[in-house]
Structure formats: C-alpha cells, structure tokens
Amino acid sequence: MSFLYFIVNDILGQASILIALIAMIGLIALKKSVGQVITGTLKTLLGFLVLLAGANIIVNALIFLGEVFQKGFNMRGVVTDVGSIAGIAQQTLGRETALIMVLAFIINILVARFTRFKYIFLTGQASLWMATVCSVVGYMGGLRGTELILLGGTIAGLMSVSMPAIAQPIVRKITGSDDIALGHFCTLGYIIQAGVAKLTGDVSKSTEDLELPSAFSFLQDTYLSMMVVMIPIYLIPTIAAGPEVVAQYSNGVSYLIYAFLQSVQFVVGVYVLLAGVRLLLAEIVPAFRGIALRIVPNAIPALDCPVLFPYAPNAVIVGFLSTTLGSIIGMFLFPSVGLAMILPGMLTNFFAGGTAGIFANAVGGRRGAVIGGIFHGLLITLLPALLLPLLGSFGLQNVTFSDADIISVGLIYGHLLNFFH
C-alpha cells in the first residue's frame, strides 16, 4: 500500500513530475540522444513549475479578494471547496480513491490506444478530484471494495477521454491545430457558455481586437489593461470590508495600499503563468510526438486550462468578470427557489470563467463572451447548490464540489445509486 501511495500521490499526484515523465517517454520513443532527453525533460518540468508558480501567485491574490468580498458585503453562504471533500476522502477512502485514479489512467490509455479518441488526460489534480467524487459518492451510495473501484475507475477513465473530445472542436478553433487538447473537468460549463455565445454574439468582433482612442492606446498592452481592470475590483470590496479585515493579511501596511498591491500581484501571477505555458508547450508538444508515433498513435495531450490563456488573454479577463457577475446574480437568485446560497468562488471564476471566456470569444466574439459568461456564472452557482442536498444526505454537510463535470458526475452517479439501492 505504501508503494501504491508513493506512485499515486508522489508521482501521478504531482502533475509537474507526471508531465515531465511523459515528455521523457516521448523523447526516448523518438530515439533522441541522452542530452536531448535530459534537456527536454527538465525544460518541461521547469515550464510546468513556472506555470504553477504563476497560478499560486494568482491563487493567493484571489484568496484575499474572496475574503474582503465576503466580509465587505456581509455575505453568508457555502463556498465551493473541493479540498474539504478530498480531505474527508483521503481519511476514509484513501486506498479506494488511489486505485480509482490508477484504473482511470489505465482505461484512458487503453481507450486512446484502441479507439479514435486519442486524448491522454494529463491534469493530475483534476484526475484526483474526479476519482474523489467517484469514491465518495460511490461509497455513500452503498458500493464497497472491488465494485466501488471498478465502477468509479471506469467512470473516471471514460470522462478523461470524453470531455477533451467534446471540447476539441472549439480548442482546435482557438489554437489552430490538434497539437493539444483541454484536460479540465469544467468542460460542460465551457460548452454551454460557447453555445450561448454563438447564439447571442458576433464572432467577427473579438475581445483581442478592441480599438481604443490614442489617449488609451497603452491599454492595448494586455497586462496594463488587466491592471486597470483589477485595481478597482480589489479596491472597492476592500473599502467596504475596512482596515480591520485587511489587517490580518497586510502586516501593518495601509489597507488600501495592500489591496492595490494585491491587484498588481494578480497581474504578475498571470504574467508568470503565461511565461510558464509558453515554455511548457515548446517542449511538451514535440516530445509528445514520440508517444503519438510509438505508443499511442496520434495521441493528443489533454492539458490544464491555462495552456489556452495565451491565445486570447483579453477573453480570460472578460470571462472572469462576466462569470463573477453571473455567480453574484445566482447567489441571490437560487435561494429564492429553495436552494442554498453559494458564494462566488474567485478561483473557479478566474480559471474556469477565464477559459470559458476564451471558448465564447472563439464562437461569439466579445459580446458572446460577456453574455455567455453571465450564463456560465449562473451554471456554476446552480450545480453546486443542486449537489449540496445529495452530499448532505450522505452526511457531508456544507461542502460541495466546484467543477461542472465533477458535479455532473456526482449528481448522476449519486441519484442512480440511490435509485438502484
């Protein structure tokens, strides 16, 4: 069991190591020299860790924003927190979750090898969340032992192939090729936002083609325009929250100055993240050709959502803001029909909302990204509220998942188990 834990948690559970190993296997399959294998493997690892460093900067800045947002506007409700459920699962279902994750990866490889769906899901954290929902919901639904592992692993493995396949037509439109796919379990939300955007938008007017007066030409720089948008987004809730709330973060710095610096830090995180994405893609795509040629013919790596950010950085911010607006509307709307109040999750709103904005812009331009984003915010607020009672019936109070695909699996899987058991 300790060796299995090492493999799943310390290797498969560490996305940076997993992707570096995949790159190494690809380079070996291409019969590269020892030096080229070492260089490609380490640069892939470096690129992913730079990406991760940028993501961590963003996460820390968004944690502060979420806190002042809730305290400043006196909001009480449930925050989507996959970490809480994962912690419960690791305590009581650690072995089952690990085995489901391993089985899912094996099924993913087999499906990619022997069918026309060539996607290999490489986002380790998302794979862990999918394995977690399958183990928790399956166990609470009455499954045990082999039955729990086989059914959960099959569901997770099929989701690892099907969701990148569903997203690929739009990913191809975004990137202009099939070199990469999207490996992120929020795909349902992306597709729904893209559908709304296509109906309501105008694809000829992209978020990336905004024309500004000469006095504002500096806003053509992605990072400067992002900074102009983020500064008031941080300052307004900080003013509402007051210096006492900010004091626990600011270490004696003026609360307004601290909020201002956090807004800039957010932009720094995006800059670092995108630098990591460029370095990662420069190495992983050529290396993956080895796997495509030798192991899984025509394999396509399904990578985490930030790999799409460089293709439409303005759409990321539009998607983030419009998704946040939609989630705020949903926060007040859905309790009126008897559902729990789900507070806006800034991390989900940025990473999932930003990616959904890219999808929407690709088929509906900037108007589609705004309108579709509001619908996306409503969806990712509704789904956790729908899952909450089911998890409550299993004894998990006031915790719920955040990713649309994972919640959908939990809802369908849980209700089917309740029906048959």
Side-chain angles (χ1 to χ4, degrees), residues 368-419:
V370 172
I371 298 173
I374 294 172
F375 274 83
H376 181 249
L378 290 170
L379 176 73
I380 64 173
T381 306
L382 174 63
L383 288 177
L386 292 175
L387 184 63
L388 195 64
L390 178 66
L391 292 176
S393 70
F394 291 157
L396 299 174
Q397 303 294 334
N398 295 323
V399 290
T400 186
F401 285 92
S402 56
D403 295 356
D405 301 348
I406 292 173
I407 295 173
S408 299
V409 166
L411 284 169
I412 296 170
Y413 192 27
H415 286 300
L416 284 175
L417 289 175
N418 280 344
F419 179 78

Side-chain angles (χ1 to χ4, degrees), residues 2-262:
S2 59
F3 178 73
L4 175 64
Y5 182 84
F6 170 76
I7 294 294
V8 173
N9 187 72
D10 295 334
I11 296 180
L12 295 181
Q14 299 297 320
S16 58
I17 296 177
L18 174 62
I19 289 179
L21 288 175
I22 294 291
M24 182 181 71
I25 292 169
L27 292 167
I28 292 172
L30 283 173
K31 298 182 179 180
K32 296 293 186 180
S33 68
V34 173
Q36 289 173 318
V37 170
I38 293 173
T39 299
T41 301
L42 293 181
K43 288 182 77 172
T44 299
L45 178 64
L46 177 62
F48 193 88
L49 289 177
V50 171
L51 182 159
L52 194 61
N56 287 336
I57 294 171
I58 294 170
V59 165
N60 290 333
L62 287 175
I63 288 173
F64 168 76
L65 178 60
E67 181 72 12
V68 294
F69 186 86
Q70 292 175 38
K71 297 288 180 62
F73 300 112
N74 195 30
M75 294 178 176
R76 298 290 181 269
V78 177
V79 179
T80 56
D81 181 14
V82 69
S84 298
I85 302 177
I88 295 170
Q90 290 302 316
Q91 291 175 10
T92 59
L93 296 166
R95 173 178 172 274
E96 289 81 357
T97 301
L99 289 173
I100 286 171
M101 187 174 173
V102 171
L103 178 58
F105 190 70
I106 293 171
I107 290 173
N108 184 177
I109 295 292
L110 290 174
V111 172
R113 176 65 181 84
F114 295 108
T115 75
R116 63 186 181 89
F117 300 106
K118 300 299 181 181
Y119 308 99
I120 298 180
F121 198 98
L122 295 177
T123 308
Q125 187 176 24
S127 298
L128 177 59
W129 301 152
M130 183 60 74
T132 299
V133 76
C134 289
S135 64
V136 169
V137 172
Y139 184 86
M140 299 302 181
L143 301 180
R144 298 292 185 273
T146 303
E147 186 181 31
L148 171 64
I149 293 163
L150 287 178
L151 191 53
T154 301
I155 291 171
L158 293 177
M159 288 293 291
S160 297
V161 178
S162 60
M163 301 320 291
I166 290 170
Q168 192 61 17
I170 299 180
V171 171
R172 187 184 305 118
K173 189 176 181 67
I174 294 165
T175 64
S177 74
D178 280 316
D179 287 342
I180 60 170
L182 179 64
H184 197 224
F185 285 130
C186 296
T187 302
L188 176 64
Y190 304 155
I191 297 301
I192 289 177
Q193 172 156 351
V196 173
K198 191 168 185 176
L199 292 174
T200 61
D202 180 358
V203 71
S204 67
K205 297 179 179 178
S206 171
T207 56
E208 310 312 301
D209 299 327
L210 293 173
E211 296 183 5
L212 299 172
S214 58
F216 297 97
S217 60
F218 70 95
L219 294 177
Q220 298 288 358
D221 183 293
T222 296
Y223 301 106
L224 291 180
S225 62
M226 194 180 299
M227 199 180 302
V228 168
V229 170
M230 297 310 298
I231 288 171
I233 286 187
Y234 272 77
L235 286 178
I236 292 170
T238 297
I239 292 170
E244 294 80 10
V245 172
V246 181
Q248 59 185 308
Y249 296 95
S250 64
N251 196 29
V253 176
S254 163
Y255 78 114
L256 293 179
I257 295 298
Y258 184 81
F260 169 77
L261 291 175
Q262 285 299 298

Side-chain angles (χ1 to χ4, degrees), residues 323-379:
T323 293
T324 299
L325 176 59
S327 64
I328 291 172
I329 294 171
M331 176 184 67
F332 293 109
L333 175 64
F334 296 130
S336 67
V337 294
L339 295 173
M341 176 178 282
I342 303 295
L343 300 182
M346 291 301 174
L347 297 180
T348 302
N349 286 355
F350 176 70
F351 288 104
T355 308
I358 298 172
F359 270 60
N361 179 63
V363 297
R366 50 182 178 260
R367 186 170 70 224
V370 172
I371 298 173
I374 294 172
F375 274 83
H376 181 249
L378 290 170
L379 176 73

Side-chain angles (χ1 to χ4, degrees), residues 287-312:
F288 215 81
R289 285 185 64 248
I291 295 174
L293 291 172
R294 309 285 182 181
I295 302 170
V296 181
N298 302 313
I300 302 174
L303 303 172
D304 204 354
C305 62
V307 298
L308 297 182
F309 287 7
Y311 294 96

